[in-house]
Amino acid sequence: MLLAMDRVTSYYGKTAILKDFSFGIEEGKCLCVLGRNGVGKTTLMRTIMGLTDRSIGDITIKGTEIGSSPTHVRAKLGIGYVPQGRGILSEFTVRENILLGTFARHDGRPDIPEVCLQMFPYLKANLDRRAGLLSGGQKQQLAIARALAVDPKILLLDEPTEGIQPNIVHEIGETLMTLNRKLGITLLLTEQHIRVARRLGDAFLMVDNGRVVASGPMAQLTDDVIHHYLTI
């Protein structure tokens, strides 16, 4: 497994949000994490990155235990992260936002990787534009480009299509498919759009109350499973 969690419980303060959580993702695959709002999907991403107050249990990347490592070490081991809300620095330029990702590169190269410019022609043409002036879809492109600047083995994407116009949702989906299937970058994403998840994912995890309640190949994500765990 490229990335795995084994019986992980993760806390904010004294409150356990993830509980006895286990999963694994193979290199080159796309795993979609599904569930209602507030069930622990974002906490899963933050736990992998070391951004919760504490966690117990094993988290490994290519067999290396990272559960006690600080966030910057996890990034240098090849984890790129696109947080919910994107985390763009509005007063910085497009160029400056992307360059922030290079600080976590294992090879120490400080320049914008060519893949970031090839994947996102708009960003390439607007490197000196202030990031706060971009549209929602353009900011999501920028957040992905910044994560790519890490030169990641795996990309964690928390709700990558949230708050984006429907026509841009398809575009973001195409981008992620290219990253996964043509460039071979492993993807772990939380997603609200079932159609996007089914199109991108090789497998799924369904989360409820901080636990994995269903999982398997994407073909096993039936309408009954969706209705049981996602319908309010």
Side-chain angles (χ1 to χ4, degrees):
M1 291 292 175
L2 175 60
L3 176 69
M5 294 176 66
D6 184 32
R7 301 176 66 87
V8 170
T9 298
S10 188
Y11 296 84
Y12 290 119
K14 296 182 179 180
T15 303
I17 306 299
L18 292 189
K19 304 157 189 172
D20 203 28
F21 203 101
S22 299
F23 81 96
I25 179 171
E26 296 178 2
E27 191 165 2
K29 300 297 185 179
C30 176
L31 176 63
C32 295
V33 182
L34 308 169
R36 299 183 181 95
N37 289 334
V39 299
K41 302 188 303 296
T42 292
T43 299
L44 168 62
M45 299 298 201
R46 290 177 60 83
T47 299
I48 294 169
M49 292 307 301
L51 295 171
T52 59
D53 290 344
R54 67 185 178 96
S55 65
I56 57 175
D58 296 325
I59 307 172
T60 58
I61 184 164
K62 278 200 166 181
T64 299
E65 169 60 38
I66 63 171
S68 60
S69 300
T71 298
H72 72 274
V73 171
R74 302 183 193 207
K76 284 183 180 291
L77 287 171
I79 305 177
Y81 179 41
V82 180
Q84 187 177 37
R86 307 178 188 104
I88 295 302
L89 298 180
S90 297
E91 296 303 316
F92 282 33
T93 65
V94 168
R95 185 193 311 275
E96 289 167 336
N97 271 277
I98 297 174
L99 286 174
L100 287 173
T102 66
F103 287 99
R105 287 179 67 91
H106 61 87
D107 60 10
R109 292 184 60 182
D111 51 324
I112 296 177
E114 187 61 30
V115 65
C116 300
L117 306 179
Q118 290 175 347
M119 290 295 302
F120 304 110
Y122 177 85
L123 301 182
K124 181 178 180 179
N126 291 272
L127 287 173
D128 296 316
R129 185 174 175 83
R130 190 165 63 82
L133 300 176
L134 303 184
S135 69
Q138 291 161 353
K139 287 178 180 176
Q140 188 61 283
Q141 289 182 4
L142 180 55
I144 295 171
R146 182 182 58 196
L148 283 177
V150 175
D151 189 25
K153 297 182 179 71
I154 181 170
L155 270 181
L156 313 182
L157 301 111
D158 195 1
E159 303 284 4
T161 62
E162 182 182 40
I164 294 176
Q165 294 176 337
N167 61 315
I168 306 299
V169 168
H170 177 78
E171 187 177 314
I172 293 294
E174 288 292 313
T175 297
L176 297 180
M177 190 174 293
T178 297
L179 294 175
N180 180 232
R181 299 182 186 177
K182 292 186 178 180
L183 300 184
I185 298 174
T186 307
L187 301 182
L188 175 65
L189 63 142
T190 67
E191 185 52 69
Q192 293 285 350
H193 290 81
I194 298 300
R195 186 176 300 176
V196 173
R198 280 176 162 161
R199 186 157 169 263
L200 287 175
D202 297 296
F204 76 96
L205 288 180
M206 188 69 71
V207 180
D208 192 36
N209 194 30
R211 301 179 186 273
V212 178
V213 291
S215 64
M218 191 56 71
Q220 293 180 10
L221 181 62
T222 64
D223 291 341
D224 285 345
V225 172
I226 291 168
H227 179 77
H228 185 77
Y229 290 110
L230 295 180
T231 302
I232 297 176

